[in-house]
Amino acid sequence: MYVCSCHALTHNHIEAEIAAGARCTREISAACRAGTDCGGCVRNISAILRAARQSETIELETAV
């Protein structure tokens, strides 16, 4: 599914940027331009970031 239709970026593109170290919407925008045109996808990018943070927290808690 497309997250940023202006730059034809999918959910997988955004997750790849997070896996590469992006931790905020600005870092994702700098890396792949998502959210830099109309801005309509910024909320979706933020939601993907939140989900990734929650997933990391759950993984850390179960590892301890």
Side-chain angles (χ1 to χ4, degrees):
M1 176 169 105
Y2 283 101
V3 173
C4 177
S5 55
C6 293
H7 297 288
L9 298 169
T10 65
H11 192 276
N12 291 337
H13 287 107
I14 305 305
E15 286 184 337
E17 295 303 337
I18 294 168
R23 293 294 175 248
C24 66
T25 54
R26 286 185 181 184
E27 290 177 359
I28 290 173
S29 296
C32 66
R33 299 179 57 206
T36 61
D37 210 5
C38 78
C41 60
V42 174
R43 286 186 182 177
N44 289 334
I45 294 168
S46 294
I48 295 168
L49 279 164
R50 276 192 304 277
R53 286 187 195 121
Q54 287 178 339
S55 175
E56 287 175 1
T57 302
I58 291 168
E59 288 175 17
L60 289 174
E61 288 175 357
T62 57
V64 173

